Amino acid sequence: MAQRELDAAGIANPALRQAYSQCRALNAAHGRTYYLATRLLPPDRRPAVHALYGFARYVDDLVDEPESDATSEDVRSRIASVERRFADGVAEGRSDLPVVAAVVDTIRRYELDPALFTAFLESMRMDLEITDYRNRTELCRYTYGSAQVIGLQLLPVLGTVTDAATAAPHAAALGDAFQLTNFLRDVAEDLDRGRIYLPADELAAFGVDRARLERCRAQGYADGAVRSALAYQIDRARAVYRHAAPGIDMLSPRSRPCVATAFTLYGAILDRIEAMNYDVFAGRATVGAARKLRVAVPAYLRARQAREQSEKRMKTSHRRDG
């Protein structure tokens, strides 16, 4: 399957094929919902999505999964090294670091703005310096680079039926919505890393602070104040989903089933948190395989129909041109 995708995308260079394959493996191993949705894209678009995911995941793991003896300076140095290799790759059109090689090729193919990747790397550095966000404005500065730019990177790959400038705010909002969902699902894990990705002033309105969250983590359950605070945060996240939703119909018909599936499945994580009575310390909110299949199978059929219609239009156009 991976070879067919690379062939469809016209990626012939053996080293590049290997680089894209490594990114695909990262996506398959770590981005379960994201990878499932990617499978609904036309084969020629999938390698670019894998490359974008692979680069982001590689850098994110430098920050979140460092070796046990690595210091913050070690991690900062490694991010700086990736940034230098990225800049060199963009300038030279190649790199010997696979995740950079694949993403540089994707930037060239889809004319992506390298500044989007610089913003992402800046947010990764913020994780080494900032453990709490006083308000939503501060958090949005982080999520612009960690999430909104991902939506903007993907937009040219997915294609649009409107001008990109009109679709861009919705694409950025969708990246933000997914990130906010991750923050809510991963409160316990992030706390274990010393971080809180929820605005402190909004938590304080419910009597919640770091000490209270840490106490709930130690006890293994969320108290009433924390549950109320998380219910409010879910309402805020859903408002971002609502802002993102109109952007799906602005995408190329061949890409809509992919994004609609991700939209539904990520939103379902919020449903699971609600079903758990907002107790994110009792277990990780996940979407079951049955729910994923109920969403993915109809989406697959829509994606196949969209591809067939696109191919039919192309054949008709070629006959007319002939």
Side-chain angles (χ1 to χ4, degrees):
M1 186 65 71
Q3 302 308 310
R4 184 169 73 87
E5 294 172 0
L6 295 169
D7 291 341
I11 300 167
N13 179 279
L16 264 181
R17 288 173 74 91
Q18 182 61 31
Y20 274 103
S21 294
Q22 289 191 31
C23 291
R24 185 181 191 272
L26 282 171
N27 196 354
H30 300 287
R32 296 173 186 173
T33 298
Y34 195 77
Y35 181 75
L36 174 64
T38 302
R39 301 284 297 123
L40 301 174
L41 284 174
D44 65 308
R45 299 301 167 114
R46 295 174 199 165
V49 177
H50 296 320
L52 295 173
Y53 181 93
F55 179 79
R57 183 73 197 198
Y58 179 83
V59 178
D60 193 56
D61 281 351
L62 291 179
V63 176
D64 286 345
E65 306 293 341
E67 297 89 342
S68 58
D69 59 345
T71 66
S72 292
E73 282 306 313
D74 292 332
V75 177
R76 188 174 286 104
S77 176
R78 289 167 190 169
I79 293 175
S81 175
V82 172
E83 188 163 29
R84 285 193 300 272
R85 295 173 82 168
F86 172 78
D88 290 344
V90 170
E92 298 169 8
R94 58 171 300 280
S95 176
D96 57 4
L97 182 62
V99 294
V100 172
V103 85
V104 162
D105 186 65
T106 294
I107 288 171
R108 178 186 63 80
R109 288 170 180 268
Y110 292 96
E111 299 181 343
L112 306 185
D113 184 357
L116 297 174
F117 298 84
T118 302
F120 169 75
L121 291 166
E122 179 58 30
S123 280
M124 295 302 97
R125 275 191 289 269
M126 289 173 66
D127 273 333
L128 303 175
E129 304 163 0
I130 301 173
T131 58
D132 301 82
Y133 293 86
R134 291 178 297 180
N135 51 53
R136 193 161 292 269
T137 298
E138 289 188 357
L139 183 63
C140 282
R141 177 173 168 254
Y142 173 80
T143 61
Y144 170 74
S146 69
Q148 293 182 39
V149 299
I150 305 299
L152 297 174
Q153 290 167 13
L154 282 167
L155 195 57
V157 178
L158 299 174
T160 61
V161 295
T162 184
D163 62 285
T166 300
H170 302 286
L174 189 58
D176 220 12
F178 290 170
Q179 179 75 292
L180 294 173
T181 301
N182 287 339
F183 290 162
L184 287 160
R185 180 193 61 195
D186 298 337
V187 169
E189 294 175 24
D190 291 334
L191 199 58
D192 291 343
R193 295 187 177 107
R195 303 182 199 135
I196 298 174
Y197 292 107
L198 303 174
D201 60 343
E202 295 176 13
L203 293 178
F206 295 89
V208 176
D209 57 11
R210 174 179 283 272
R212 188 169 204 138
L213 289 172
E214 290 176 340
R215 185 165 62 251
C216 289
R217 176 56 168 157
Q219 294 170 346
Y221 64 87
D223 64 21
V226 169
R227 293 172 198 258
S228 296
L230 293 179
Y232 175 77
Q233 291 299 317
I234 285 178
D235 285 344
R236 293 297 300 263
R238 286 212 166 102
V240 181
Y241 275 97
R242 288 193 293 273
H243 179 55
I248 296 175
D249 285 339
M250 298 178 188
L251 299 174
S252 164
R254 299 197 307 163
S255 297
R256 288 174 200 162
C258 163
V259 178
T261 296
F263 183 97
T264 300
L265 292 179
Y266 262 91
I269 294 172
L270 300 181
D271 297 338
R272 283 292 304 137
I273 295 173
E274 288 178 327
M276 295 164 59
N277 196 20
Y278 308 100
D279 194 351
V280 294
F281 297 108
R284 199 166 191 260
T286 58
V287 179
R291 176 73 181 274
K292 287 182 179 179
L293 284 174
R294 286 197 299 272
V295 173
V297 170
Y300 168 76
L301 295 175
R302 291 194 300 273
R304 188 171 68 177
Q305 183 181 40
R307 288 199 293 271
E308 290 172 351
Q309 290 174 345
S310 177
E311 290 167 2
K312 186 180 297 184
R313 285 194 297 271
M314 288 179 64
K315 289 178 181 177
T316 302
S317 177
H318 289 158
R319 283 198 297 269
R320 287 174 181 166
D321 292 342

